[in-house]
């Protein structure tokens, strides 16, 4: 009798601990469990998986689905959904030109104010266009100062948990309401550095900047060498400065190497490009270029609008742009709480998440990008979000922003790059990736062989090999697609 009781208790324990499974889903726990057991990289790590029906949100499979883990860039799913809900798909970021003076005989008697309101898509070309518009208004000379106003947001440039080692990287750029991007990836607050070999071995490599500017100081310690002598090239910006040391060797056979480097104080960087644009358009400046606050009575001259949020979401999500995420958090705080800070923005985001059937009190969210190792959410919460957003008017925009496995071009594939591109699920998977040291995540939608769509979240924490972790994620997605 005692043996039967013990056996019954063991069965009950197994049922309670085993992954939740729904027979009609045709997704077997044995297949996924086998993949996990065969992967040495998962041994000693934490694997959390959640799978729902896209039709009714029914949980089909859950393995440690309620365990809070670091989501990495999967947190951007929460940020994107909140921003679409709070700001709206047509929302734009303005850059305004104002003055406290008057224009007489082609001379502006007074100060010119460049008022930033968070536009991460402002480029050198657009700054040139703004200054050209000033010239067309008859301004040939400014008898006053040019003042950059970035007070739309607070002056805290980095989120609370950004590692100091990320400050040089484009994905760790400082956040300012007045900032500029080097190209249409819109990595605001950064500059592109191109290293080209010299014509002769033993000579310093050539360094070119995009956009061209004297705002940065380049210490060139690169060398042109033969293919056999080549080593990696490193880019190191000294903390608190814009002095960038470039070291290493480039082969004489290479075309170029390229790196995007985040700069110190993006507001000052933007103003340096404004000064260049004034000179290019033949507008003389008597005063100085500096930061300041726009007077309430300043008169409007020009407004430049960014692309709408519906379009911004494509580089934001597909390329996993951290700067866009943090800008959206601050913008939500400014619009709803009248304070462009992380604190207020995250408050708005938490309040909005309740409309998706989530309980923010069971999460820990410290930023908008997922760069923090302190963020904690669960796989079940991610799939709940992905289910709930389907009935929103803006869902097609949200869905379109996700990287596509086997997409037609670089921007369409986004951070999925070539993952799953030569498999039966190519173009049948739309999913957001996530990567931090020891963390890999993947969440999104997969079309199955039976014609259904499954919502999935795979969270792998404390892994030693990120590449192997992503291979495991892909294998699980392939398994889901075959159901």
């Amino acid at each position: 009798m005692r043996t039967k009781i013990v056996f019954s208790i063991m069965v009950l324990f197994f049922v309670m601990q085993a992954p939740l499974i729904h027979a009609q889903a045709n997704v077997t726990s044995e297949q996924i469990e086998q993949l996990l057991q065969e992967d040495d990289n998962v041994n000693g790590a934490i694997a959390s998986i959640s799978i729902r029906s896209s039709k009714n949100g029914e949980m089909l499979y859950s393995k440690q689905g309620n365990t809070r883990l670091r989501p990495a860039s999967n947190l951007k799913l929460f940020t994107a959904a909140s921003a679409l809900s709070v700001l709206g798909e047509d929302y734009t970021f303005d850059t305004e030109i104002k003055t406290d003076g008057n224009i007489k005989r082609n001379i502006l008697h007074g100060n010119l104010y460049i008022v930033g309101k968070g536009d991460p898509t402002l480029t050198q070309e657009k700054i040139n266009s703004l200054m050209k518009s000033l010239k067309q208004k008859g301004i040939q000379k400014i008898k006053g100062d040019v003042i950059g106003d970035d007070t739309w947001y607070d002056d805290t440039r980095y989120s609370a948990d950004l590692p100091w080692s990320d400050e040089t990287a484009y994905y760790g750029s400082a956040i300012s309401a007045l900032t500029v991007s080097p190209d249409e990836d819109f990595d605001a607050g950064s500059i592109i550095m191109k290293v080209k070999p010299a014509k002769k071995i033993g000579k310093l490599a050539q360094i070119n900047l995009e956009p061209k500017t004297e705002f940065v100081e380049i210490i060139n310690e690169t060398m042109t060498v033969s293919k056999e002598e080549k080593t990696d090239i490193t880019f190191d910006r000294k903390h608190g400065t814009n002095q960038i040391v470039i070291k290493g060797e480039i082969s004489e056979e290479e075309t170029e190497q390229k790196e995007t480097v985040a700069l110190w104080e993006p507001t000052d960087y933007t103003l340096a490009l404004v000064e260049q644009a004034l000179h290019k358009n033949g507008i003389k400046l008597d005063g100085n270029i500096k930061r300041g606050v726009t007077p309430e009575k300043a008169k409007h001259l020009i407004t430049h609008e960014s692309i709408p949020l519906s379009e911004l979401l494509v580089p934001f999500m597909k390329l996993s742009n951290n700067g866009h995420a943090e800008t959206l958090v601050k913008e939500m705080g400014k619009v709803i709480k009248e304070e462009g800070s992380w604190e207020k923005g995250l408050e708005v985001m938490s309040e909005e998440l309740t409309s998706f059937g989530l309980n923010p009190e069971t999460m820990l969210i410290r930023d908008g990008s997922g760069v923090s190792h302190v963020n904690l959410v669960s796989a079940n919460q991610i799939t709940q979000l992905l289910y709930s957003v389907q009935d929103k008017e803006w869902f097609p925009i949200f869905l379109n922003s996700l990287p596509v496995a086997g997409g037609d071009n670089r921007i369409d594939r986004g951070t999925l790059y070539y993952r799953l591109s030569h498999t039966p699920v190519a173009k049948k998977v739309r999913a957001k990736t996530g990567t931090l040291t020891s963390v890999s995540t993947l969440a999104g939608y997969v079309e199955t062989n039976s014609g259904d769509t499954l919502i999935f979240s795979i969270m792998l924490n404390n892994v030693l090999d990120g590449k192997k972790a992503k291979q495991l994620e892909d294998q699980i997605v392939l398994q889901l697609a075959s159901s």
Side-chain angles (χ1 to χ4, degrees):
M1 183 64 179
R2 184 173 179 272
T3 302
K4 289 183 180 181
I5 292 175
V6 171
F7 177 75
S8 298
I9 293 174
M10 290 178 64
V11 169
L12 178 60
F13 177 80
F14 175 79
V15 170
M16 292 177 65
Q17 295 299 313
L20 178 67
I21 195 71
H22 191 283
Q24 294 180 355
N26 203 20
V27 178
T28 64
S29 60
E30 289 82 3
Q31 292 167 325
I32 295 178
E33 287 295 320
Q34 185 176 357
L35 289 173
L36 294 173
Q37 291 171 7
E38 292 175 351
D39 195 311
D40 292 337
N41 193 43
V42 177
N43 186 21
I46 304 174
S48 176
I49 302 171
S50 176
I51 302 166
R52 291 181 191 267
S53 164
S54 67
K55 293 181 179 179
N56 55 23
E58 182 180 3
M59 186 72 72
L60 304 176
Y61 176 92
S62 179
K63 178 182 176 64
Q64 299 193 94
N66 288 322
T67 300
R68 286 184 288 270
L69 297 175
R70 290 165 287 166
S73 284
N74 271 197
L75 190 69
K76 292 183 175 76
L77 295 165
F78 294 79
T79 307
S82 297
L84 282 168
S85 185
V86 171
L87 303 175
E89 62 190 73
D90 297 323
Y91 192 83
T92 58
F93 298 82
D94 293 342
T95 302
E96 298 176 342
I97 310 294
K98 295 185 174 184
T99 184
D100 57 6
N102 296 296
I103 303 171
K104 295 180 180 179
R105 296 181 181 180
N106 298 327
I107 297 175
L108 174 61
H109 296 269
N111 298 319
L112 188 75
Y113 296 89
I114 317 295
V115 185
K117 293 188 175 181
D119 183 5
T121 70
L122 193 66
T123 61
Q124 183 185 43
E125 181 182 2
K126 292 170 184 175
I127 290 174
N128 284 335
S129 180
L130 283 169
M131 297 306 106
K132 183 178 180 180
S133 296
L134 274 183
K135 187 70 174 288
Q136 291 171 343
K137 285 183 175 291
I139 298 175
Q140 297 180 5
K141 186 175 182 179
I142 301 171
K143 293 196 72 173
D145 297 327
V146 172
I147 299 172
D149 185 345
D150 62 7
T151 57
W152 185 252
Y153 298 155
D154 66 6
D155 59 2
T156 302
R157 300 301 196 208
Y158 300 102
S159 56
D161 306 312
L162 182 82
W164 66 266
S165 56
D166 283 353
E167 283 186 17
T168 297
Y170 67 92
Y171 52 80
S173 61
I175 306 302
S176 167
L178 183 58
T179 188
V180 66
S181 293
D183 62 13
E184 292 190 354
D185 282 0
F186 301 128
D187 293 310
S190 67
I191 192 168
I192 295 173
M193 320 201 75
K194 294 183 176 181
V195 182
K196 296 185 177 182
K199 294 181 179 179
K200 293 183 180 180
I201 290 178
K203 299 293 184 180
L204 288 175
Q206 300 174 20
I207 311 295
N208 296 315
L209 305 180
E210 290 186 5
K212 293 181 180 179
T213 176
E214 296 181 359
F215 183 71
V216 298
E217 177 188 358
I218 303 299
I219 308 298
N220 186 2
E221 298 182 6
T222 62
M223 192 64 65
T224 306
V225 298
S226 65
K227 185 177 181 180
E228 293 75 20
E229 297 176 292
K230 178 185 176 302
T231 62
D232 291 337
I233 292 179
T234 61
F235 301 79
D236 181 33
R237 178 175 60 75
K238 184 178 179 182
H239 175 74
T241 76
N242 283 301
Q243 182 186 88
I244 302 171
V245 181
I246 308 175
K247 295 181 179 181
E249 287 83 33
I250 185 170
S251 166
E252 60 175 339
E253 300 177 4
E254 291 183 73
T255 303
E256 68 177 19
Q257 291 192 34
K258 186 169 72 170
E259 185 74 12
T260 303
V261 178
L263 298 179
W264 187 257
E265 280 303 342
T267 300
D268 294 340
Y269 172 39
T270 305
L271 289 175
L273 296 183
V274 168
E275 185 175 19
Q276 288 178 212
L278 286 171
H279 179 74
K280 181 178 180 179
N281 285 278
I283 301 175
K284 295 181 181 180
L285 175 63
D286 278 358
N288 300 312
I289 290 193
K290 59 185 181 180
R291 282 186 271 171
V293 181
T294 307
E296 288 186 11
K297 294 183 179 180
K299 294 172 289 187
H300 170 268
L301 291 176
I302 304 167
T303 296
H304 168 74
E305 284 189 352
S306 73
I307 57 176
L309 182 57
S310 58
E311 294 180 30
L312 179 64
L313 236 65
V314 172
F316 166 36
M317 294 292 279
K318 287 185 182 289
L319 302 179
S320 202
N321 192 305
N322 287 354
H324 294 178
E326 308 307 354
T327 296
L328 287 171
V329 168
K330 287 199 171 189
E331 192 69 10
M332 286 188 282
K334 183 65 176 181
V335 170
I336 303 301
K337 304 280 187 178
E338 298 184 345
E339 180 180 302
S341 66
W342 268 287
E343 180 184 7
K344 295 301 181 182
L346 291 175
E347 281 182 19
V348 174
M349 188 168 157
S350 293
E351 292 166 4
E352 196 62 27
L353 290 178
T354 60
S355 68
F356 305 125
L358 300 172
N359 181 3
E361 294 184 1
T362 63
M363 311 174 191
L364 182 56
I365 298 179
R366 300 269 290 186
D367 59 29
S369 66
V371 73
S372 172
H373 278 266
V374 182
N375 289 319
L376 291 173
V377 300
S378 72
N380 284 348
Q381 290 168 328
I382 292 175
T383 57
Q384 172 62 39
L385 173 78
L386 294 176
Y387 169 71
S388 296
V389 297
Q390 292 179 116
D391 64 0
K392 305 300 181 183
E393 290 184 2
W394 43 258
F395 175 67
I397 293 168
F398 179 88
L399 183 65
N400 180 63
S401 75
L402 299 179
V404 179
D408 294 328
N409 50 55
R410 169 183 170 269
I411 193 71
D412 198 25
R413 292 189 298 272
T415 52
L416 279 178
Y417 297 113
Y418 298 105
R419 290 175 64 177
L420 299 165
S421 60
H422 300 294
T423 69
V425 300
K427 298 191 178 180
K428 293 184 178 181
V429 176
R430 289 181 177 270
K432 183 72 198 72
T433 60
T435 305
L436 289 173
T437 303
S438 79
V439 176
S440 184
T441 57
L442 187 68
Y445 307 87
V446 55
E447 182 182 333
T448 69
N449 286 343
S450 61
D452 294 328
T453 297
L454 297 178
I455 298 171
F456 66 90
S457 170
I458 305 167
M459 305 183 73
L460 304 175
N461 276 207
N462 303 336
V463 293
L464 300 179
D465 189 324
K467 184 177 180 180
K468 286 184 178 180
K470 295 185 186 310
Q471 290 172 347
L472 174 60
E473 291 164 1
D474 291 352
Q475 289 176 322
I476 293 173
V477 171
L478 284 168
Q479 188 62 61
L480 294 178
S482 67
S483 62

